[in-house]
Amino acid sequence: MAMSKFSCPVILYRMVSVLLLCCWMSTAQAKPPGNLCVGVCKQDITPVTPALAEAYKAQFGEAKAANHTDPIYIAGFGNDRQATGYNDRLWARGVVIDGRGGRIALVALDLIGYFNNQIEIVREMVGDDIDYLIVQSSHSHEGPDTLGIWGPDELTTGVDAGYLDFVNDAIADCIVEAGKNMRPARVKSVTTSTAGLSTGMRPDDDGFGVADQKVLEGDDILSPATNGRIVDPNLVVLQFTEREKKKKVLATIVNFGSHPEVLWSENTILTSDFPHYVRERLELEYGGTAIWVSGALGVLQGPDRIDITEDGINPILPRRSFQFAEVHGRQLAERAIAELDHKPGHPAPVIAYAQQNPVPVKLQNSFFRFFFAIGVLGNGRTLYTDGVPDSSVGFPFPPPFDVIPQALGEDLQTEVGVARIGDVGLIVVPTELDPQIGMQYRDAMTGVRDKVLVGLGNDQIGYQVLQSKFDESCMVCAPYVLAGVPQLCPLFPDIDCSTVFQNNVGPGLDPAVSGALMPLIEQINQTKP
């Protein structure tokens, strides 16, 4: 019998030997019923520079070798926000799930995003031991720049390439660690609502613990009860326990659509934001490893325009504070705990997965093309023309804008995927997903009960909104904006260059992503439980 490197330790008790077959047998071989095995891991990916090494040691009580050059540019909001210290560690936290149908790995990063080309490097490092690897980013706005656009100025990348290598090693090490800790397991899941987790006193706070900070055209028709605000109140929880009588918790995964950005733009202390406190509370309750997975984050879903209190009676907590982040995170965890405890576990769920890679998406964003051309975006990522890598740069704009460089490749290549673990479906998208589209995906996945939207899964290519709601004014006026003369654009002043449209591949993104994803969802629907 072929041995996988992801093997449970040898246990000599004959009565449980059948259960252990799942952890010993290669996924290419037939497996008996009752074969779910799960391994858990976490790796510290906190960036440490020579200048901040003592701050790390003072905060966490142990030294850590430098893995990042000075300074650390914090991702989100603007340029030249340099880290000055630490509140909590940043992590790569993951699970390897092996069962009847295959072996899946999910690793969640406390990062703003991670490009697909880096994840492909990790796949090469891991090899064939994983059938489907999902690397997800929380989209924290209080961690290091791993994309490039938050450096010292708009024309200089904020990425340390050596740190990306460090993170790649950590993801691969996490998967190996999980493989060494495989245990016969059960899985249970629940979906609940976040209704009541904020006060609902602000005009754009509907009481779900998240606010839609950008109302797009047409949303008022789709969601009249909330004046056009569309949020996703679904809190999905997935828990793995050992199959022995004690049912020790191995991992608890929480999925919710809200930007980790409580601390906002003035903060210079590195932190995973409110997900840190969600995980801390869950681990206090259950033990094991808690994992945060961000869901439908666009359009600008986040906690900055909500009010919360400790108990619903006391005064509202100060926004943009660690106190707010702690209470908000703890309350999300309490909601998960209240719903999860009464659910039974299942020892033998079907494992299924499907992915499309690559998914070509026409790059219609001149801002992205500019930043690719000057090396701010990409970190080794390549554009494609007719499926062939194309790193060419030119000057396609007419005078006087013919001095603005543009990457000339036609497409970005990304990927989408779906997976099933018994009653739980995972919908893996590479974008900050409009919850309205997320609702469509949930509705389409009819074969499972609980649906996890894995936002920024295996890539980060910006916002995804319905093509019918896309405002192309910023892209039409891109050369004028890049040249610093937006007022000369014929569409001025009716130009919407908000982040939703400026940081968007283009109006063809949703048709490309949804067109690739929907057939995969139907494929998963047809798998037998």
Side-chain angles (χ1 to χ4, degrees):
M1 178 166 56
M3 293 285 290
S4 164
K5 78 175 184 179
F6 295 122
S7 298
C8 291
V10 176
I11 299 179
L12 300 178
Y13 299 106
R14 187 171 298 178
M15 64 183 296
V16 297
S17 62
V18 173
L19 297 179
L20 291 176
L21 285 174
C22 67
C23 306
W24 282 48
M25 297 178 68
S26 165
T27 55
Q29 296 173 292
K31 298 180 182 180
N35 63 346
L36 180 68
C37 278
V38 172
V40 183
C41 63
K42 64 178 183 179
Q43 294 281 324
D44 183 351
I45 59 168
T46 312
V48 179
T49 69
L52 290 178
E54 286 302 315
Y56 182 95
K57 184 177 181 180
Q59 181 68 10
F60 304 119
E62 59 185 16
K64 184 177 178 67
N67 54 35
H68 197 294
T69 56
D70 284 305
I72 299 168
Y73 295 105
I74 298 181
F77 300 111
N79 295 102
D80 201 30
R81 184 163 58 120
Q82 300 182 21
T84 59
Y86 303 94
N87 178 71
D88 53 276
R89 289 179 172 95
L90 309 186
W91 296 100
R93 293 171 174 239
V95 289
V96 171
I97 305 160
D98 185 280
R100 180 164 46 99
R103 177 181 288 132
I104 298 170
L106 168 64
V107 180
L109 309 175
D110 289 326
L111 297 175
I112 190 77
Y114 216 58
F115 282 143
N116 185 254
N117 62 304
Q118 299 298 327
I119 294 162
E120 292 293 355
I121 291 171
V122 175
R123 284 180 169 143
E124 291 179 5
M125 297 168 70
V126 172
D128 296 331
D129 291 302
I130 299 297
D131 295 318
Y132 182 35
L133 172 62
I134 305 167
V135 177
Q136 190 272 340
S137 298
S138 70
H139 200 52
S140 172
H141 283 46
E142 313 300 335
D145 184 1
T146 49
L147 301 180
I149 59 177
W150 295 283
D153 54 63
E154 292 182 348
L155 303 181
T156 308
T157 183
V159 171
D160 181 325
Y163 177 70
L164 298 184
D165 292 339
F166 168 79
V167 172
N168 291 341
D169 288 341
I171 298 169
D173 288 346
C174 194
I175 293 169
V176 171
E177 176 190 342
K180 292 178 179 178
N181 295 316
M182 299 293 282
R183 296 290 184 271
R186 293 177 179 268
V187 60
K188 59 181 178 178
S189 60
V190 66
T191 300
T192 187
S193 171
T194 57
L197 287 186
S198 52
T199 66
M201 294 189 297
R202 290 177 177 266
D204 45 7
D205 175 8
D206 303 317
F208 293 118
V210 61
D212 177 1
Q213 300 180 49
K214 174 68 178 180
V215 178
L216 296 182
E217 184 178 356
D219 282 357
D220 55 335
I221 299 173
L222 294 162
S223 189
T226 56
N227 298 316
R229 293 181 303 279
I230 295 179
V231 300
D232 185 351
N234 291 289
L235 183 71
V236 187
V237 192
L238 178 63
Q239 189 173 77
F240 298 98
T241 59
E242 287 194 1
R243 209 180 307 164
E244 63 185 21
K245 290 183 179 179
K246 292 182 180 179
K247 294 184 175 61
K248 177 183 176 182
V249 171
L250 299 171
T252 306
I253 299 174
V254 179
N255 175 233
F256 182 55
S258 181
H259 277 63
E261 58 180 21
V262 165
L263 278 302
W264 211 249
S265 60
E266 298 301 315
N267 173 60
T268 58
I269 303 299
L270 291 168
T271 174
S272 55
D273 209 273
F274 72 84
H276 165 65
Y277 299 102
V278 175
R279 298 186 303 229
E280 187 176 63
R281 176 66 187 94
L282 290 171
E283 291 177 356
L284 179 64
E285 181 73 17
Y286 297 117
T289 299
I291 300 171
W292 175 268
V293 174
S294 289
L297 295 173
V299 180
L300 299 181
Q301 310 298 302
D304 189 57
R305 300 188 185 183
I306 65 171
D307 292 319
I308 63 171
T309 72
E310 283 274 12
D311 54 12
I313 300 173
N314 292 320
I316 59 174
L317 296 175
R319 293 164 61 240
R320 304 183 182 182
S321 68
F322 278 102
Q323 182 187 12
F324 186 111
E326 180 175 5
V327 173
H328 181 50
R330 190 173 67 242
Q331 290 177 343
L332 282 165
E334 295 290 355
R335 182 63 57 89
I337 291 166
E339 295 296 324
L340 189 63
D341 283 349
H342 306 294
K343 294 289 181 180
H346 196 298
V350 65
I351 305 294
Y353 56 91
Q355 64 180 131
Q356 182 170 328
N357 183 9
V359 176
V361 181
K362 185 174 179 59
L363 181 56
Q364 298 169 276
N365 186 320
S366 297
F367 301 98
F368 285 3
R369 290 186 177 279
F370 172 72
F371 288 121
F372 267 104
I374 66 173
V376 167
L377 275 176
N379 307 319
R381 184 172 195 155
T382 306
L383 300 182
Y384 290 79
T385 300
D386 296 326
V388 178
D390 184 351
S391 58
S392 61
V393 173
F395 300 87
F397 292 131
F401 305 117
D402 54 349
V403 296
I404 300 174
Q406 295 275 281
L408 298 179
E410 291 180 358
D411 302 326
L412 275 173
Q413 287 193 353
T414 188
E415 66 175 90
V416 298
V418 293
R420 177 177 184 171
I421 307 164
D423 288 329
V424 181
L426 281 68
I427 303 166
V428 185
V429 295
T431 56
E432 294 179 61
L433 182 66
D434 187 332
Q436 180 186 347
I437 303 172
M439 293 173 195
Q440 294 177 357
Y441 295 161
R442 287 183 190 276
D443 290 343
M445 186 172 269
T446 57
V448 297
R449 183 188 65 230
D450 302 306
K451 300 146 188 183
V452 174
L453 286 173
V454 184
L456 303 188
N458 290 330
D459 208 351
Q460 158 56 310
I461 57 172
Y463 295 95
Q464 180 182 346
V465 299
L466 288 172
Q467 187 174 26
S468 60
K469 297 197 296 184
F470 196 91
D471 187 332
E472 296 192 59
S473 60
C474 191
M475 293 192 182
V476 170
C477 294
Y480 299 89
V481 176
L482 286 167
V485 287
Q487 69 276 12
L488 299 182
C489 180
L491 298 182
F492 188 85
D494 299 318
I495 307 173
D496 189 344
C497 274
S498 63
T499 184
V500 173
F501 298 119
Q502 193 166 25
N503 292 316
N504 196 307
V505 172
L509 174 61
D510 179 55
V513 169
S514 294
L517 189 59
M518 283 299 194
L520 303 183
I521 292 175
E522 182 56 32
Q523 183 177 334
I524 290 296
N525 287 340
Q526 295 174 8
T527 59
K528 296 180 180 180

